[in-house]
Amino acid sequence: MVDEPLAETVKLISADGFEFVIDRKCAMASGTIKNMLSSPGQFTESVQNEINFRDIKAVILEKVCKYLYYKVRYTNTPTEIPEFQIEPEIALELLMAADFLEC
Amino acid sequence: MVQHHPEMNLVLHPFLKPLPLFPQSASIYLRIKRQKTVFFVETTPQETVLQLKQKLFNILNREKQVKDMKLEVKQPGKQATAPPTYATLEDSAVLETLGLENDGELFLTFWIPGESNAADGKWEPVDVPEFDPLGDEVEEVPDESEKGKGKTSA
């Protein structure tokens, strides 16, 4: 009855223990995550499709996930791209996370 | 080429065709929360709640049946200070009709089957903790006044 293919998802875990399950293709929009998931060898990350981010809090990681969806959605589309709103109070930590994650 | 319609005093342009305002399959994502997990699920406004549950079924490695899932929306309390309530969504409801837009938030709960009788169970309550605030990383300075420590001289 269910004809949808098995979803390809990855799980990103924040410092405070929240789990974010996102599409693999969106996760790959981050250079760092892409490397972690594609590394040859049997690392936990590449086998279980789970990555622990001990330095990134849930508030920030959620914003990162929203950004990854935004990036995949609007990359290479001719439509008008809406602005990605960022609350000032998270901007600094978000900047550090974005730098680390290469996205 | 611009044509002049003889009877109606209109100028008709050949390339004016009605364009659809929004593409039919505008992809959106919803954040579906259960306890400490947030599922980012891609969907379209025309899909139904049942289709969302089928996607979750796949994401959860087919370990939880669609019938054992409940999706709810949070509604603010009647007064500003009242706690929010949750409304269960029907399987047949269409996301657009429910007013769900991109980045919308939903809450997922599972059916807990009864110990002796599987059909005699209950839905688990919505239990999603708030994210920890970012905080300023400033440690609380202990109170130095030493009240009640008996240092006052007689």
Side-chain angles (χ1 to χ4, degrees):
Chain A
M1 275 214 322
V2 177
D3 50 358
E4 308 236 1
L6 212 48
E8 274 269 39
T9 55
V10 301
K11 186 186 284 190
L12 308 180
I13 306 170
S14 70
D16 38 2
F18 279 86
E19 306 176 334
F20 296 88
V21 177
I22 65 176
D23 280 338
R24 194 181 180 87
K25 69 169 192 285
C26 291
M28 298 300 229
S30 149
T32 310
I33 295 180
K34 181 173 171 187
N35 286 332
M36 287 178 171
L37 293 174
S38 333
S39 64
Q42 295 292 302
F43 291 105
T44 319
E45 291 88 4
S46 47
V47 168
Q48 287 182 344
N49 288 317
E50 278 187 16
I51 304 181
N52 276 283
F53 290 105
R54 306 246 220 98
D55 299 323
I56 307 183
K57 299 201 185 90
V59 181
I60 305 295
L61 196 51
E62 186 179 48
K63 200 70 178 177
V64 170
C65 291
K66 293 187 189 190
Y67 175 74
L68 293 174
Y69 271 83
Y70 169 84
K71 179 172 176 180
V72 169
R73 166 79 180 84
Y74 292 107
T75 297
N76 295 329
T77 56
T79 57
E80 194 182 322
I81 302 176
E83 186 190 334
F84 184 73
Q85 303 281 349
I86 298 177
E87 297 80 27
E89 49 278 8
I90 67 169
L92 183 57
E93 290 208 33
L94 189 61
L95 168 67
M96 298 194 292
D99 182 56
F100 171 70
L101 293 172
E102 290 169 41
C103 69
Chain B
M1 286 281 290
V2 163
Q3 297 168 332
H4 286 272
H5 198 284
E7 275 144 16
M8 301 153 75
N9 200 10
L10 289 176
V11 172
L12 298 174
H13 293 267
F15 50 81
L16 266 188
K17 284 190 196 136
L19 290 172
L21 275 184
F22 301 102
Q24 276 305 97
S25 57
S27 165
I28 64 169
Y29 73 83
L30 296 175
R31 285 170 298 120
I32 303 184
K33 298 191 171 184
R34 178 179 173 267
Q35 295 175 357
K36 275 190 128 179
T37 307
V38 182
F39 299 94
F40 279 68
V41 182
E42 229 174 358
T43 179
T44 71
Q46 289 77 33
E47 290 201 353
T48 62
V49 169
L50 180 62
Q51 284 171 299
L52 268 186
K53 290 183 182 177
Q54 285 166 343
K55 292 188 165 162
L56 286 167
F57 170 69
N58 275 316
I59 293 175
L60 293 165
N61 285 318
R62 309 199 164 162
E63 284 167 2
K64 203 71 188 176
Q65 293 301 312
V66 164
K67 65 174 173 55
D68 292 333
M69 294 182 200
K70 180 153 76 139
L71 282 174
E72 303 178 74
V73 271
K74 189 197 269 190
Q75 291 163 333
K78 292 262 152 62
Q79 293 137 345
T81 45
T85 53
Y86 298 94
T88 305
L89 301 179
E90 296 290 327
D91 282 358
S92 54
V94 172
L95 303 180
E96 195 169 27
T97 318
L98 294 169
L100 284 170
E101 298 176 326
N102 193 42
D103 195 35
E105 195 172 73
L106 287 179
F107 295 86
L108 170 67
T109 54
F110 291 155
W111 174 259
I112 311 164
E115 306 262 302
S116 45
N117 182 5
D120 176 33
K122 58 179 164 67
W123 292 103
E124 57 180 21
V126 174
D127 173 30
V128 174
E130 295 282 322
F131 289 154
D132 294 338
L134 285 182
D136 277 346
E137 304 281 348
V138 174
E139 302 217 337
E140 297 236 336
V141 178
D143 198 353
E144 310 252 51
S145 63
E146 302 208 303
K147 263 199 283 193
K149 283 220 168 167
K151 280 219 165 167
T152 52
S153 52

